[in-house]
Every structure is written in C-alpha cells, then in structure tokens.
C-alpha cells in the first residue's frame, strides 16, 4: 500500500523522496515515538495493585478523560477509513463519519449505569447481576472475538506504515515491522497498564488534532478557502461527479434492494457497535463516578465531532488532488488516501526537506494512533483473560492482588503474541473485513447484552448466555456465508463460493436475533437475576 | 414531591434499574431523527441532493444538523441526569 504513497506518478515503486528528506522523516519519527513509549512505561503503576493496573485509580477528570476516551475511540482504521471512504464514496463517507459520532450517544446512555457497576472488565459488569463461571467464560469469548480481529487489522496497518517509513517494501519487511511494533506495544502495555495507556492516549489525541488541523489548513489554503471548489474538485476526482454528493455510491455495485439493506446495516453496525467495543466500554471505569463518566463522554462527543469533520475535509482533498482511481489502486480499502494526500500537499516527488514536516507529522500521528489503539485493545483483551478467566473461573476469586496483576501482564503478552502471529500469517490478504467482523460482534452480542443487563430487571443468566453465544454465532456465521468472505473477486477467499447470505453486513439479522434470544432465554428460564447485595455497590 | 419515589435505606441497585427519564427522551429524540435521516438517505436521494448553497446540498446540512442535535441533547441530558441524581441522593442517606 504505502510504497506508492508519496509518488506523484502513481506507479508502484519505492518511496520517491530524496535521501535527505527520508532521513529527516526517519529521525523525526524515531525522536518522537521512542520517548512516547518510554513515557508510557515510566508512567506505569508503582505498586502491583489491580485497581491501578486496570483503572489507574479511577481519578480521571472529565476533560482529561475525554482526551483519553477520544484516543481510545478513534482507531487508525477509523481515521484512515473515514478519509478514504469520503474520498471514494462521497456522501456515504460523510454518513459513516456521522454514525461514528452518533455512536457516542449510545455510549453516553450506557456510561452512567456502566460506571455505577464499578467493574474492571465487561465480565464484572455482567457478573454483578448474573454471577457464575459460565457468564465469565461467555463474556471472555465474546471479548476476545471482538478484540483479536481488531488487533490483527491494526497490526497489519502498522506493519505497512513502518515498512514504508523505513524505505523498505515487500512482505518480509512488513512482517518484520509487524513483529517489531507488536513487541514494543506488548511491552508498553504489560509494564504500563492503564496509567501508561492514559499518557499515550492523551498524546495521541493532541497529535491527531494537530495533524488534522495542519493538513486541513494546508489543503484549504491550496483551494483558496472555498469549500465549493474543494467539493467540486473532489467530485471530479472521484470519477462520478453526479453521484458523489448523493447517497448510494458505497453499495452501488449491488442490486438496489441489497444495496439499501447493506447501507442501513452498515450504518446501524457503526452506530451501535463502536460504543460497545470492549476497550471503549471499559475505558469508562477510569472516571471517579457515574456523573464524571457522563461528562467525559459528553466532552468526547465534541472532540470526536471536530476530528470527524476535519477528516471529511481531508477526504474531499484526497479525492480532489489524488483521485479515486489512484487511491483504490494503492489499496482497495482506500486507507492510503490520507498519506497520499499528505505526499501531494508536501510537494509530491519533488518534496523538499522543508515540506517534509507535514509528512513527519502525519506519519507520527498515524503511527501513534495505531500504537495507542493496539495497546488499549490488548489491555482490554488481557483484562478479560486475566480477570475473568484466570481470577474468577480458574482460581475462583482466591488470589492476591500481586498475582492478579502478574496474570494481567502475562495475558497482555500472550494476547499480543497471538495477534502478532496471526497478523504475520495473514499479511498480504485483504483484511479490511476484519474490522467489520469486530464491530458486528460488538453490536450483535455486546449491545443487546448491555442494554438488557443494565436496564431490564427480568434478565436472567440463561438469557445472557443465549444473547452472547447466539449473537456471536449468528454474526460470525453469517459473515462467513456472506459475499465478503468468499465468492467475489474482492472477497477474502475469491476461489471459494459458500455465499448463502446475500448481504455484506450482518447486523440487520444478527442484532434482532440476539435481542430475541435474550428475551426468550429470560422469560422461559426458571431463575430470576439475584437482587444485588448492598456491599457490591462500589464508589 | 420527590419523597414518594424514595426507598430509604436501600442502595440504587436494590430497587433494580430505575427509570431514567432524561435518558429516555435523549434516546428517543436522537434515535427517531437518525431513523428518519437514514430512511431519507435510502428512499429520498433526490431530496437530499438538492443544492442549498453552492455545492452544499440538503444532505450535508442534514448531517451537520444531526451532529449538532447530538451535541446539544447530550449537554441537556448530562445536566438533567446530574439533577436527577442529586434529587435521589438525600433520600438514599440514613
């Protein structure tokens, strides 16, 4: 993807910056990333306390918490993907950006009750009303099913970015880069815990904002501060000017009925899924209380809204200056558009050293974004393994704090290593659909389970288990049987054809099924959820 | 009076999930406008494509309006929920 990025001519090849500029880029990059990782590790908890490792002592004020939550919320796939989708699909990209912001509304509704539970992981949240090892295992399975695909996508992207910045290309370089990045992140997570995470996320959000503003300013300056000329040029660049600012380009290749259903399904997946991703939901536990959690999410809406607005401007710029065909040729998932845009704004193949600062800024921002999200997803997944599986299922709650933190660190390493190995194994495949799988799992299993568990008194353990496993099976099963997995040239396995489910997005089916299963399981079961004993209320 | 809703000497969890009226109106307002917006994007593409100012069309305006609604209603919900919690607190204490 990225070796072609900064080349104005557009044919595949190595990075066409002169050696001076490339060394500046590399130096700037290293001078930036290494201290950040050091900060992360040095900020780690001084004592081995579970509360410190998972929630940094629950002392995060709303504004700082909003910066952290924004960092957790906006992954590299979101930022790059939004830019690319706006560049290639116009209005549909704008709608997806809107849905990303609206998902925070869902999180806002869940934030108060979630924080009131005082949990470390989602397993804790559910186990408060429906205790038992079966619940913990189910939640851990779902958490890992949402986290591991997400990690693979992010690590693959990070591998490509690094390989490009080091001036290398080819699968071997990308795989080495994946291993390198993954190892650094795993160490940072294992040593730093949530405190290190907070430091990284704040830096990432600030850098992301600075980057978005800088590139947008340079871009708008190029277009003489006229949104009209920008949008018009973007329409021309996309190759489909009449349809660019109308809904429908994203699924234009499908039949009208399927296209409409896919459109609705995708938007619903994004709105309901991003808020329920495990690392996002558990991030709220760093707030001091429920009111602070709500305020944090409210401030996050403003920051995320601003960043999404800026990325849509950047998307228009990418379409206008690069053109959709070149973007898609570099990467079918259109995630290269931001970097290609930067390369063009910084002068293309005749980039002077003076303009390389923009390239450095964008590369650092993208890279730090990827690192931060990998770290936070790894922490959430590790928490699930260590806290839910090891502490509560295997050891049945009988463990010391020191041992639980040690288990969490080991789990971070294991989850990290697993994801690194998988990312290396699938390097070169078309992995874009994995982030959709992750969102589909979150929206189809975790959202119904959270809504029922937090707001419905009649929800039983049986209902919870049916929702989690049923939603998971439905989402993954339908995704495997969809055209995204096999049967079309863009699919993961183009030579197979096991398409039985006609739509690309599965949420339209799996979400109602999960809600139905939860309701059925609860009303037909014998037990009702236990009334909560008083001592479970945690401040 | 607010006192008739109080269950003195119990924790919030003991009475189960309490009805959260500010949350319900927040969910309804945003959910309904989003549903209408989504429906319009599916069936009324021409309507959303009508130009309003230069290249900006009704669809872009609708998206910006939806985002602003979310921001404004989130602020309202936050304040209302904080008021409601403050109202519950004195009754929860012994």
């Amino acid at each position: 993807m990225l070796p072609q990025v900064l080349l104005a001519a557009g044919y595949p090849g190595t990075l066409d910056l002169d050696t001076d500029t490339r060394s500046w880029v590399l130096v700037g990059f290293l001078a930036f990333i290494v201290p950040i990782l050091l900060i992360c590790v040095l900020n780690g908890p001084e004592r081995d306390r579970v509360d410190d490792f998972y929630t940094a002592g629950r002392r995060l004020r709303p504004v700082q918490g909003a910066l952290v939550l924004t960092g957790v919320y906006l992954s590299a796939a979101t930022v790059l993907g939004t830019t690319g989708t706006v560049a290639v699909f116009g209005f549909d990209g704008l709608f997806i950006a809107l849905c990303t912001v609206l998902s925070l509304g869902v999180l806002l509704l869940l934030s108060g009750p979630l924080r009131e539970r005082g949990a470390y992981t989602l397993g804790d949240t559910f186990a408060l009303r429906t205790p038992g090892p079966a619940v913990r295992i189910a939640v851990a399975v779902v958490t890992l099913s949402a986290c591991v695909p997400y990690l693979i996508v992010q690590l693959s992207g990070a591998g490509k970015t690094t390989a490009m910045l080091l001036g290398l290309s080819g699968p071997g370089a990308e795989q080495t880069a994946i291993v390198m990045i993954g190892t650094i992140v795993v160490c940072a997570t294992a040593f730093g815990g949530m405190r290190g995470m907070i430091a990284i996320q704040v830096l990432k959000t600030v850098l992301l904002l600075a980057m978005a503003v800088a590139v947008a300013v340079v871009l708008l300056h190029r277009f003489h501060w006229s949104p009209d000329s920008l949008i018009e040029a973007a329409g021309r660049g996309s190759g489909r000017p009449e349809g660019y600012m109308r809904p429908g380009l994203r699924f234009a290749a499908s039949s009208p009925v399927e296209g409409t259903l896919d459109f609705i399904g995708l938007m619903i997946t994004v709105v309901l899924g991003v808020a329920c991703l495990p690392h996002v939901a558990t991030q709220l536990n760093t707030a001091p209380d429920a009111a602070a959690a709500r305020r944090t999410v409210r401030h996050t809406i403003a920051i995320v809204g601003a960043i999404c607005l800026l990325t849509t401007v950047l998307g228009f710029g990418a379409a206008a200056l690069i053109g959709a065909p070149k973007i898609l040729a570099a990467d079918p998932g259109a995630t290269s558009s931001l970097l290609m845009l930067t390369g063009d704004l910084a002068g293309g193949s005749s980039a002077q050293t003076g303009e390389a600062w923009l390239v450095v800024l964008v590369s650092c921002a993208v890279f730090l974004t990827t690192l931060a999200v990998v770290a936070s997803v790894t922490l959430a997944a590790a928490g699930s393994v260590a806290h839910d599986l090891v502490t509560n299922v295997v050891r049945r709650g009988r463990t010391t704090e020191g041992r639980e933190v040690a288990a969490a660190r080991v789990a971070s390493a294991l989850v990290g290593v697993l994801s690194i190995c998988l990312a290396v194994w699938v390097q070169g495949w078309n992995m874009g659909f994995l982030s959709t799988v992750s969102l589909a799992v979150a929206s189809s299993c975790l959202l119904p389970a959270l809504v029922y568990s937090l707001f419905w008194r009649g929800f039983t353990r049986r209902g919870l288990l049916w929702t989690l496993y049923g939603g998971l099976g439905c989402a993954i099963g339908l995704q495997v049987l969809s055209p995204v997995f096999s049967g079309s040239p863009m699919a993961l396995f183009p030579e197979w054809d096991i398409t039985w489910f006609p739509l690309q997005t599965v949420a339209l089916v799996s979400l109602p099924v999960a809600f139905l299963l939860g309701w059925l399981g609860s009303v037909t079961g014998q037990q009702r959820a236990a009334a909560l004993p008083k001592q479970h209320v945690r401040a | 009076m607010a006192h008739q809703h109080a269950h003195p000497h119990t924790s919030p969890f003991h009475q189960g999930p309490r009805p959260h009226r500010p949350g319900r109106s927040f969910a309804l307002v945003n959910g309904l406008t989003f549903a209408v917006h989504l429906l319009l994007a599916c069936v009324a593409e021409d309507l959303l494509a009508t130009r309003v100012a230069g290249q900006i069309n009704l669809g872009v305006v609708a998206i910006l309006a939806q985002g602003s609604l979310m921001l404004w209603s989130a602020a309202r919900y936050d304040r209302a929920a904080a008021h409601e919690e403050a109202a519950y607190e004195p009754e929860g204490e012994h």
Side-chain angles (χ1 to χ4, degrees):
Chain A
M1 162 177 103
L2 288 163
Q4 305 125 299
V5 155
L6 299 185
L7 193 63
Y11 49 83
T14 51
L15 204 56
D16 199 32
L17 295 176
D18 58 25
T19 330
D20 267 353
T21 317
R22 192 189 304 180
S23 6
W24 271 115
V25 170
L26 188 58
V27 166
F29 183 74
L30 283 176
F32 189 78
I33 295 296
V34 173
I36 286 184
L37 290 167
L38 277 177
I39 290 174
C40 171
V41 173
L42 291 175
N43 250 329
E46 310 91 34
R47 306 157 304 219
D48 271 353
R49 303 253 346 262
V50 177
D51 209 43
D52 265 350
F53 192 83
Y54 289 128
T55 63
R58 299 186 200 277
R59 283 199 313 258
L60 215 52
R61 307 285 304 275
V63 174
Q64 195 189 5
L67 287 175
V68 178
L69 188 59
T70 308
V72 171
Y73 195 75
L74 289 175
S75 70
T78 311
V79 172
L80 296 177
T82 310
T83 315
T85 318
V86 171
V88 178
F89 298 120
F91 186 86
D92 284 356
L94 295 183
F95 214 91
I96 293 181
L98 175 71
C99 290
T100 311
V101 178
L102 291 183
S103 190
L104 281 169
V106 174
L107 188 64
L108 182 63
L109 281 170
L110 296 175
S111 61
L114 257 183
R115 177 58 191 87
E116 267 173 13
R117 301 281 169 126
Y120 294 135
T121 64
L122 283 178
D124 281 341
T125 311
F126 291 121
L128 210 54
R129 285 184 63 209
T130 48
V135 169
R136 298 264 184 188
I137 294 176
V139 179
V141 168
V142 170
T143 303
L144 286 173
S145 310
C147 290
V148 172
Y150 212 68
L151 276 175
I152 296 176
V153 172
Q154 305 294 334
L155 278 172
S156 310
K160 288 177 184 161
T161 318
T162 318
M164 180 280 281
L165 278 170
L166 295 180
L168 309 165
S169 64
E174 292 186 13
Q175 287 171 336
T176 318
I178 290 175
V179 174
M180 222 176 67
I181 305 305
T183 317
I184 294 176
V185 173
V186 163
C187 292
T189 313
F191 288 120
M194 182 55 85
R195 280 189 203 275
M197 194 69 45
I198 286 173
I200 274 196
Q201 298 291 3
V202 171
L203 286 166
K204 162 196 160 168
T205 305
V206 169
L207 189 62
L208 200 58
L209 265 171
M211 180 274 287
V213 169
V215 181
V217 163
V218 174
L219 174 69
L220 285 173
H221 183 72
R222 175 87 72 103
F223 280 91
H224 310 292
W225 298 94
S226 153
D228 276 352
S229 56
L230 175 64
I231 297 179
E232 204 186 317
R236 275 199 309 270
S238 74
R240 289 169 287 196
E242 3 33 75
Y244 190 65
M245 290 301 279
R246 299 167 60 109
L249 273 188
R250 173 72 177 78
F251 295 105
S254 327
S255 72
V257 173
E258 281 172 18
T260 311
L261 288 176
D262 263 330
F263 181 80
I264 298 179
L266 179 63
M267 298 311 157
I268 290 185
T269 306
V270 175
V271 170
L272 299 179
V274 187
C276 299
L277 286 169
H279 61 291
V280 175
T282 50
Q283 187 62 39
L284 291 171
N285 292 318
T286 52
D289 56 32
R294 267 199 309 270
R295 189 131 316 145
T296 305
V297 180
R298 181 184 137 196
H299 291 318
T300 308
I301 296 179
I303 306 178
V304 169
I307 294 182
C308 281
L309 192 63
L310 289 169
T311 52
T312 55
V313 170
L314 300 184
F316 284 136
L321 294 177
I322 313 287
K326 265 194 217 153
I327 294 175
L328 288 174
D331 172 26
T335 55
S336 55
S337 46
L338 178 62
L339 290 145
M340 292 175 96
L341 171 69
T342 312
D344 192 279
L345 286 176
S349 57
S350 59
Q352 305 298 313
T353 309
E355 278 141 344
W357 67 271
L358 199 64
V359 178
V360 175
L361 184 63
V362 172
S363 317
C364 285
V366 170
F367 195 74
L368 189 59
T369 305
T370 313
L371 278 184
V373 79
V374 172
S376 103
V377 177
T378 307
L379 188 64
S384 179
V385 170
H387 191 70
D388 291 333
L389 289 181
V390 175
T391 299
N392 284 292
V393 175
V394 173
R395 295 198 188 139
R396 299 192 192 278
R398 289 190 296 268
T399 185
T400 64
E401 293 222 359
R403 281 167 68 185
E404 174 157 353
V405 173
R409 294 189 206 272
V410 168
S412 308
L414 285 177
V415 169
V417 165
L418 172 69
S419 308
I420 294 170
C421 293
L422 287 174
V424 165
W425 182 51
V426 302
Q427 189 278 328
W429 296 8
N430 183 6
M431 283 289 119
F433 89 106
L434 275 183
S435 44
T436 321
V437 166
S438 194
L439 282 179
V441 168
S443 60
S444 317
C445 311
L446 290 174
L447 178 81
L450 279 171
V451 165
Y452 276 149
S453 181
L454 296 176
F455 298 114
W456 185 30
R457 220 174 305 193
F459 198 47
T460 63
R461 179 186 308 157
R462 199 148 162 255
L464 176 64
L465 290 174
W466 282 23
T467 305
L468 289 175
Y469 284 128
L472 181 68
C474 198
I476 294 194
L478 287 179
Q479 194 73 67
V480 166
L481 295 174
S482 75
V484 170
F485 196 75
S486 68
S488 81
M490 298 294 302
L492 187 61
F493 296 109
E495 354 35 90
W496 297 358
D497 190 353
I498 46 172
T499 49
W500 173 79
F501 186 66
L503 302 179
Q504 294 177 30
T505 51
V506 302
L508 276 181
V509 175
S510 52
L511 184 66
V513 164
F515 270 113
L516 188 66
L517 284 175
W519 177 77
L520 268 179
S522 298
V523 301
T524 58
Q526 307 293 339
Q527 303 172 297
R528 297 180 67 77
L532 291 171
K534 257 184 158 165
Q535 59 266 27
H536 271 268
V537 177
R538 286 182 239 194
Chain B
M1 300 281 262
H3 291 286
Q4 64 227 46
H5 300 298
H7 294 271
H9 315 301
T10 58
S11 69
F13 289 137
H14 226 59
Q15 35 177 312
R18 52 175 183 265
H20 211 48
R21 261 154 301 152
R24 237 181 257 167
S25 62
F26 173 75
L28 269 174
V29 166
N30 284 292
L32 281 178
T33 45
F34 178 65
V36 167
H37 195 180
L38 194 57
L39 206 61
L40 280 179
C42 290
V43 303
E45 291 157 18
D46 290 323
L47 177 63
L48 289 184
T50 28
R51 299 260 173 95
V52 168
Q55 290 281 337
I56 310 286
N57 57 23
L58 213 56
V60 175
V61 171
I63 287 181
L64 290 173
Q66 179 97 54
S68 314
L69 177 69
M70 166 64 62
L71 263 172
W72 175 77
S73 56
R76 258 194 76 176
Y77 165 60
D78 189 23
R79 274 196 294 270
H83 279 309
E84 196 184 325
E85 270 180 5
Y88 265 106
E89 240 166 69
E91 286 124 28
E93 285 166 358
H94 299 292

